[in-house]
Structures are given as structure tokens and as C-alpha cells.
Amino acid sequence: MESKIVLPTFGPVEWGILYFVLASAIVALLYGLFLVRYVLRVNVDNQKMLEVASAIEEGAMAYLRRQFNTMIWFIIALMVILFFVYQQVYKGDIRLPLGIAIAFLMGVFASYGAGFVGMWLAVKANVRTAYTALTRSFSDSLKVSFRAGAVSGMFTLGFGLLGATIIFMIFREEAMKVLVGFGFGAALAALFMRVGGGIYTKAADVGADLVGKVEKGIPEDDPRNAATIADNVGDNVGDCAGMTADVFESYEVTLVAAIILAAATLLDQSFVAKYGDNATSFALKLIMFPLILRAIGVFSSMIGIWSVRMRENESDPMRGITRGYLLSGFLSIVGFAIVIWLYLIDPATGKPDFRFLIPPSIGIILAVVTMWLTDYFTHPDKKPATEVSYSSKTGPATVILTGMGVGMESSVWGILAIAGTIISAILVFPENLSLAAYSIALTGLGLLTTTGYILAMDTYGPITDNAHGIFEMSGVKEERASRVLDRMDAIGNTTKALTKGLAIATAVIAAISLFRSFIDEARLFELGIQINLPDVFVGLLIGGAVPCSQLLL
């Protein structure tokens, strides 16, 4: 579909928006560097802790180097293939095939770079988190770990917006065709880093548990178990670098989907008939709107990240993290409303069209619902986790069955939340199929508006997990610090699960947003079940959840 569309000519307003988005990308990167400095300023005066942390860092960096050396050959091959394939699509114009190939390379390096920087600081921050828990307060330890985790989020925002904006500035009205390559590059990096890192993580984790807890009956992070280093390395390469690349890919794909669907409104006769001579200018506003939403997310994420702290009478870090996310989401919605009021004026009425506020707000609400569901099903103090814990007293069979039951039940509620989001987005524009598809894409944009904060929650998990391991393996005996790190480690599992849930929800929304483009391009609109139709796709989701839903009866 994107190959048939040429965007309208950019005017002064559009160029002003692009410069604003470019500035927000630079602000995100600068804020990330500021957080790096904040974390590295913490001095660790414990040689044993530093030795353990150095071993984890060495293993994590060795894995990423080996992964990149393997991945680079696929990158080069696909880059060449893309160039020649798109030469056949855009015959006589070498600029676009070359631009797509280079954008593909940019997407790979941006995704890999965000994951690499985030993991590099994570392995620096784990020992600092442990030492802060030992020498300072619970709240200070939370600040160090969470702000260190935010670095991967801010570099994801910065690299993602920087790449997209540069492509828009260079290719202008044909930028949408080149953006496809950028998103594809991000997806390839995510494939290697998320899948490869995830397999390594689980293999190392299970191996360490089998040797330590099962065969020898020693604690999880006992220094006598050499596999604990591999376990801690796995947390970084899978849940830090891998998840960052995964979310970066979703971040770019939802942006590309929204821009493609906004441009596709010009091919919709009902849209053109409704807005008449103003259809082209209004479609251009819809194309720029996703970029503005992404820029707003930079500033709302920054404020939310800096607000995370614990109150004196609190012992649950999840409360401070939740408050920060709610603040970030609220500020995002306020920013959306201001942009619509000033920019997204309906040419038919001459007034701001606040219907476009609903889809991204629904996306943020979905994120909050996902946070609540994840907190309920994984929090160590809530009923599902305690039930699984109690079931372990009667043997491995009951704990496996109970754990499977809780996991399947949680997936049903997650699917229903995603299905409700898709249907709600459709109902905003029931009179126009193009705008309904665009509305669904906007929910994905809303869901990942606060990507900086979401990845801070994710990377916080491996940082606190490693911090707890470093504390145990270094042989420090301090009861208060041990309890602090144990609590933070437990909550880190909840935040990691939350980010996985948000990544899955975004992938579903991005998929349905792009199905229509794929079906039209492949000419499959008269064959088989039309899963490109949102209501059909929702039925597919609910049908897949039926086996799991039996647990609710």
C-alpha cells in the first residue's frame, strides 16, 4: 500500500513539527547520558562485590559480541537483497531502494545500540544497587536501580525518534516508503536479541537451579555454584538487551503502521468525500500526529522516571513505580489534548476533533490495566503467588499444576483487555473503515507513549536480580540490606512480567494495524477468513483463549 502513496508537500508547520520531534529525540539522549552519570557517580568500596560484578559484566559483553559477529552477516545479506528487490518496485529511481537498504541498517544499529547501552549500564548499576542497599536507604537503592534501568528506555526513545525524523527530513514526501526499511531492521535485531537472549537466559537459569537447588540443596545465588554467574549474565542479555530490542521494534512498527494508515486515508473515497478539498491537508496532519505523540512521550517519561521514590513508611517498591507510571500516563494524555486543541482541527467543523484523543488514551488505559493484572498475578504478597507458594508444600505435581493454572488464567484477562481495546478503538470512528484502522494504530502509539518508563521497569528487574546475587555471592552479612534486595528482586520479577505483557499487547495491535495493508498488497481480500477485519481478529483472539478460560468456571 505504501508504494502507491506519495505524501502531500510539507509546509512550514510540518517542518516545525519535524524540528520539534528531532529536538525531543536529542533531549531523550541527553537525559539518558545524565542518568548514566548519576549512576556511575556511586562509588563502591567493596572489593568482593566488584569482583563478582566484573565477572557478570565480562560474560554479558562476551555474549553480545558473539551475537553481533553472527548477526552481521545476515544484516549484510538482507541489506543487499532489499536493495535489489526494491529496485524492481521503484524502477528508474535508485534513491529509494538505496534509502530503504540504509534505513534497514539504521534500524538494526539503533535497536542493537539501545539494547547495548542499556545493558552496559545495567551491569554497572547492579553492584551499585547492592552497595547502596548496604550503605544507604531503601529509597536510594530504588532510585539507583530504576534510573539505571531508564537509560535503555531513553536511548530507545532517542534512537527511534532520531532515525524516523532523519528519514522524514531527507526523503520528505516519500519518507513513508523508506520507513518500512527502518522498521524491518529493528525487527531483525529484535529477533536475534530477544529470542537468542531469551533462550540463553532460560538455559542458564534452569541449569543453575538444577545444579544448586535441586542436586546440592544450596541457595540460588550461593558462591559455590559457578552457574550463578551464567544465570546473572542471562538476566542481562535476555531481559535487558533482548527486551529493549523487542520494545524498540514495537515502538517503530506502531509508528510506521500509524503513518501508513494515515496516508492510506487518501485512497478512501468516503474520507475524501467527507473532507473534500481539505482531505489532503487533513491527512497530512494525521501523518504528523503520531510523531508528535512520540515526542510528548519523551517528556512525560522523563518526569515519571524522576518521580520514582519510596515514602518513609513504605516497604513495597511497586507502589512508587506505579505512582510514577500513573503520573507519566496522565501527563501524556494532557499533552495529547493540548496537541489536538492547537493542531488537529477538523476542516469540516473548524473545531478541534477530540475524538482523536480517545484511541491513544485507551492505549494508556490498557497499559494501566496490564500493570494491575500483572501486579495481581505476580506480586509476592497477592493471592495467586501465595497459592503457588503454598502448593509447593505438597510436592512438584501440585506446584506445577497450580502455576500453570494461574498463568493460563492471567492470559485470559490479558486477551480480554486487548480485545476490549481493539473494539473500543473501532467504535470511535464507526462511519469510516480507514479512520477506524488508524484509530487502532493510535492505541498502539498510546500504549508505548511512555516507552522510556516501560523499559525502566523492565531493566530494573535484571539490575535488582543481579544486585541480590552479587550481595549473596560476595558473602556480605547484613540482614537489613539482604531484606531490601530480596524485596526489590521479587518486585523486579513483576516489572519484567509487566513489560512482556505490554510488548505482547503492542505486537497484537501493530499486527492488526498492518494486516489491512498486507491483505490489499497481496490481493487476499477475497480469499479465506478476513482476519484483517478487527472484529474477526478479536473473535480469533477470544477463541484462542477458550481453553484457558475453562479455569475461570
Side-chain angles (χ1 to χ4, degrees), residues 47-349:
Q47 192 58 38
K48 188 63 178 176
M49 281 186 175
L50 290 172
E51 287 177 7
V52 177
S54 177
I56 295 172
E57 180 178 357
E58 183 180 355
M61 292 303 173
Y63 175 87
L64 278 193
R65 282 195 299 271
R66 177 68 266 174
Q67 185 180 63
F68 183 78
N69 290 338
T70 302
M71 185 172 66
I72 189 65
W73 302 108
F74 291 93
I75 295 169
I76 294 171
L78 283 173
M79 184 179 174
V80 173
I81 291 171
L82 279 174
F83 174 75
F84 285 108
V85 167
Y86 276 97
Q87 262 198 324
Q88 302 303 313
V89 177
Y90 303 111
K91 294 180 179 178
D93 186 0
I94 195 172
R95 200 171 66 98
L96 285 177
L98 187 61
I100 292 170
I102 294 174
F104 167 77
L105 190 64
M106 288 170 57
V108 171
F109 279 102
S111 182
Y112 184 86
F116 178 85
V117 172
M119 196 197 77
W120 169 79
L121 188 64
V123 295
K124 300 285 187 185
N126 50 23
V127 66
R128 288 166 170 80
T129 299
Y131 191 72
T132 305
L134 180 64
T135 59
R136 291 157 67 177
S137 67
F138 199 160
S139 183
D140 288 336
S141 187
L142 173 64
K143 288 178 186 177
V144 170
S145 57
F146 196 82
R147 291 174 186 178
V151 170
S152 62
M154 298 316 298
F155 272 82
T156 295
L157 290 174
F159 286 154
L161 282 178
L162 192 65
T165 308
I166 289 173
I167 289 171
F168 259 99
M169 287 181 163
I170 294 175
F171 292 93
R172 304 184 183 187
E173 291 78 22
E174 295 180 312
M176 186 178 54
K177 301 171 183 177
V178 180
L179 272 175
V180 174
F182 191 66
F184 182 39
L188 179 70
L191 175 65
F192 275 89
M193 297 180 73
R194 185 72 187 109
V195 177
I199 292 171
Y200 176 92
T201 300
K202 298 311 171 189
D205 192 357
V206 172
D209 288 345
L210 286 175
V211 171
K213 291 188 286 188
V214 177
E215 293 185 7
K216 298 299 181 182
I218 58 179
E220 180 176 2
D221 292 313
D222 194 292
R224 292 170 292 177
N225 185 2
T228 55
I229 294 296
D231 184 6
N232 284 288
V233 168
D235 292 328
N236 289 292
V237 301
D239 291 323
C240 181
M243 182 54 77
T244 299
D246 189 9
V247 173
F248 184 94
E249 181 258 344
S250 297
Y251 185 81
E252 289 305 320
V253 167
T254 52
L255 178 64
V256 172
I259 291 172
I260 288 176
L261 292 170
T265 56
L266 293 173
L267 302 178
D268 189 326
Q269 296 301 318
S270 61
F271 179 87
V272 175
K274 179 178 179 179
Y275 294 105
D277 295 337
N278 297 310
T280 300
S281 60
F282 191 60
L284 186 56
K285 288 185 176 183
L286 297 182
I287 290 165
M288 291 292 154
F289 188 52
L291 288 170
I292 305 174
L293 297 189
R294 288 291 193 231
I296 290 171
V298 170
F299 301 100
S300 62
S301 293
M302 288 169 56
I303 296 171
I305 289 163
W306 199 253
S307 71
V308 173
R309 64 195 71 237
M310 291 181 63
R311 294 168 181 166
E312 290 184 4
N313 60 341
E314 286 182 339
S315 60
D316 184 0
M318 194 64 198
R319 292 185 179 181
I321 293 171
T322 301
R323 283 195 301 268
Y325 186 77
L326 292 176
L327 174 63
S328 185
F330 173 75
L331 292 175
S332 297
I333 293 174
V334 172
F336 299 162
I338 293 173
V339 169
I340 292 171
W341 179 52
L342 295 175
Y343 177 66
L344 212 57
I345 309 299
D346 188 334
T349 62

Side-chain angles (χ1 to χ4, degrees), residues 304-526:
I305 289 163
W306 199 253
S307 71
V308 173
R309 64 195 71 237
M310 291 181 63
R311 294 168 181 166
E312 290 184 4
N313 60 341
E314 286 182 339
S315 60
D316 184 0
M318 194 64 198
R319 292 185 179 181
I321 293 171
T322 301
R323 283 195 301 268
Y325 186 77
L326 292 176
L327 174 63
S328 185
F330 173 75
L331 292 175
S332 297
I333 293 174
V334 172
F336 299 162
I338 293 173
V339 169
I340 292 171
W341 179 52
L342 295 175
Y343 177 66
L344 212 57
I345 309 299
D346 188 334
T349 62
K351 298 178 181 179
D353 193 343
F354 282 103
R355 290 183 301 171
F356 289 97
L357 175 62
I358 299 174
S361 300
I362 291 174
I364 290 176
I365 292 171
L366 173 61
V368 173
V369 171
T370 304
M371 173 180 279
W372 182 83
L373 287 172
T374 307
D375 184 50
Y376 175 73
F377 281 102
T378 62
H379 196 287
D381 295 340
K382 300 293 174 64
K383 183 180 177 181
T386 55
E387 280 184 350
V388 176
S389 177
Y390 287 139
S391 69
S392 65
K393 295 181 178 181
T394 54
T398 51
V399 74
I400 290 173
L401 290 172
T402 307
M404 286 286 291
V406 169
M408 294 174 75
E409 181 184 351
S410 67
S411 68
V412 174
W413 294 113
I415 288 172
L416 291 177
I418 295 171
T421 299
I422 294 171
I423 294 299
S424 300
I426 297 171
L427 295 177
V428 177
F429 299 99
E431 77 286 355
N432 189 291
L433 188 59
S434 293
L435 287 178
Y438 179 67
S439 177
I440 294 173
L442 288 182
T443 62
L445 284 169
L447 181 61
L448 286 184
T449 295
T450 55
T451 292
Y453 198 96
I454 290 170
L455 282 174
M457 290 190 292
D458 176 69
T459 311
Y460 163 84
I463 290 173
T464 53
D465 192 339
N466 280 200
H468 191 221
I470 290 169
F471 187 85
E472 293 292 328
M473 285 185 281
S474 61
V476 178
K477 302 297 181 184
E478 214 283 330
E479 187 63 28
R480 183 198 62 83
S482 180
R483 287 198 306 269
V484 167
L485 290 170
D486 185 57
R487 187 68 172 175
M488 290 177 65
D489 185 7
I491 297 304
N493 291 323
T494 296
T495 58
K496 286 189 291 186
L498 168 62
T499 310
K500 290 180 176 68
L502 294 176
I504 291 168
T506 308
V508 172
I509 292 172
I512 193 172
S513 300
L514 291 171
F515 267 147
R516 185 176 177 219
S517 175
F518 171 75
I519 293 294
D520 288 347
E521 193 72 25
R523 301 185 180 277
L524 299 175
F525 40 79
E526 294 180 353

